[in-house]
Amino acid sequence: MATSAVARDVVFALRQKIAKIEGTLAERLVLPADGQPVAGLLVRRNGHASARDFFLPTGVERLDEVLGGGLPKAALTEIHGTETRNAGAAAGLALALVSGMLKERSRSSDLVLWVGTTEMFREAGLPYAPGLASFFGIPAESLLLAEAPKAADVLWIAEEAARIEEIAAVVVELRGNPRIVDLTATRRLHRRAQDSGRPVLLLRQSAEPEPTAAPVRLVVSPAPATLRQTLLGPLAGSIAAPAFAVEIGKSRTALPGSFILEWNLDARTLAERSPENRIAVVSPSRGRTHPPAQAGAVLAFKPAAVEAAGDQPPREQHPAHRRPRRTG
């Protein structure tokens, strides 16, 4: 028992040191009572924070369980797209998380700020308001867009917006690895999220992982969609729900893991792809950066059939052939 108590004290001291390095000075770790596991319960300045208040559930049971309850609600969360072509998937997962949070709050006055650089919006495009309403249930009047010329301006806007009570979430979208987006800058964003009690999502498009103050980093890429399921079985040539390949790249509590998540457009919820709906993906050949393109194409409508030579009407049926040939 004495050895167990000493080990618990050592783990607790290490967690306190890590919390100070990551800038979580507004929180403190509570040492559990004897006989209880070291859970690292996070406590706010004015009392304990329940799991319902502290976590933002993703709705995916296994992912929430691995994360210890979900994503931290009052914190900075990183969502990485390692390549520019993954920008849509990374933004889609961020919107899915924001949609779930707005549904839970159920306040029509909530606003979402999406701020990014001119370079980022020129490369990946602006969020499409009608699509946000139909796909994610985020009304156009609830979305605020801010475009800034430099990453420093984006960070300043995000820090100031995180203080505003009417803004339920802040989405910061940046491209690459700007030097100014360092541990100090992300620590300020994380602190603002803690003070306001609302999430700040940092979308890093075409970026490499680097040290930040965010407790969780998710690496996102598009996943192949499955076929639509009908009463008679899979519908050939169809495309089912959008899918994301999500990898836990960093977490204070969770081990690394990979998930295939699907977005239900009707229920507006995330779900893990069931084993029977998983499809095999062939890995690229050794030495290749990208897999070769698949043969064939998927078309919405079948092309019109081309008449074969033998299907042509006989020569005598063409009026042009019955007329006398022009001379001279």
Side-chain angles (χ1 to χ4, degrees):
M1 293 297 293
T3 303
S4 177
V6 171
R8 187 170 63 248
D9 293 341
V10 171
V11 172
F12 174 69
L14 289 174
R15 290 195 174 189
Q16 280 186 320
K17 185 176 293 186
I18 293 173
K20 290 182 179 180
I21 294 174
E22 292 179 337
T24 57
L25 301 180
E27 303 167 345
R28 58 186 176 86
L29 291 169
V30 175
L31 185 63
D34 291 339
Q36 295 183 357
V38 181
L41 180 63
L42 287 168
V43 181
R44 298 188 182 180
R45 292 170 180 168
N46 54 350
H48 291 267
S50 66
R52 180 178 178 84
D53 294 333
F54 184 76
F55 290 109
L56 175 63
T58 64
V60 182
E61 183 177 355
R62 193 168 71 92
L63 179 58
D64 289 337
E65 182 179 354
V66 170
L67 292 173
L71 296 172
K73 180 181 293 186
L76 175 69
T77 298
E78 287 187 71
I79 300 178
H80 271 236
T82 56
E83 299 180 9
T84 302
R85 62 182 179 180
N86 298 342
L93 180 64
L95 288 168
L97 297 174
V98 171
S99 175
M101 185 200 63
L102 294 178
K103 185 191 301 184
E104 181 184 352
R105 289 169 62 97
S106 66
R107 291 171 50 181
S108 58
S109 60
D110 285 338
L111 299 175
V112 177
L113 173 66
W114 193 298
V115 55
T117 59
T118 304
E119 177 191 15
M120 185 65 248
F121 289 146
R122 185 185 297 116
E123 184 71 27
L126 292 166
Y128 184 57
L132 300 186
S134 60
F135 274 64
F136 300 98
I138 303 177
E141 58 271 16
S142 299
L143 180 66
L144 302 177
L145 289 176
E147 182 179 333
K150 298 183 298 183
D153 301 324
V154 171
L155 295 176
W156 182 85
I157 294 172
E159 289 181 28
E160 295 301 316
R163 297 178 174 180
I164 302 175
E165 180 66 28
E166 288 76 14
I167 295 181
V170 178
V171 180
V172 183
E173 189 172 19
L174 296 172
R175 174 177 168 81
N177 295 80
R179 183 174 299 179
I180 195 173
V181 187
D182 55 7
L183 186 60
T184 301
T186 56
R187 185 179 294 158
R188 289 199 303 265
L189 280 176
H190 183 50
R191 179 64 60 82
R192 292 296 173 86
Q194 289 176 320
D195 293 341
S196 64
R198 293 181 294 276
V200 176
L201 303 179
L202 178 58
L203 286 181
R204 304 290 301 272
Q205 307 288 15
S206 187
E208 295 295 332
E210 57 186 1
T212 65
V216 177
R217 176 189 297 131
L218 301 178
V219 182
V220 185
S221 60
T226 57
L227 300 178
R228 289 188 177 184
Q229 298 295 324
T230 66
L231 296 177
L232 300 179
L235 182 61
S238 64
I239 300 177
F244 313 97
V246 179
E247 179 182 349
I248 301 177
K250 169 191 173 183
S251 176
R252 294 178 183 173
T253 58
L255 295 175
S258 301
F259 303 83
I260 300 295
L261 307 183
E262 293 182 335
W263 176 249
N264 189 319
L265 302 179
D266 299 321
R268 295 192 177 119
T269 56
L270 283 170
E272 186 175 9
R273 179 176 290 172
S274 57
E276 58 270 15
N277 289 336
R278 293 177 183 170
I279 58 178
V281 180
V282 179
S283 60
S285 301
R286 180 173 299 179
R288 287 177 177 261
T289 305
H290 304 287
Q294 295 181 358
V298 179
L299 303 178
F301 301 96
K302 292 182 178 180
V306 179
E307 294 182 350
D311 297 335
Q312 295 293 331
R315 188 178 184 87
E316 59 273 8
Q317 291 184 13
H318 289 281
H321 296 304
R322 293 199 297 266
R323 293 197 299 266
R325 185 174 298 178
R326 292 178 56 184
T327 58

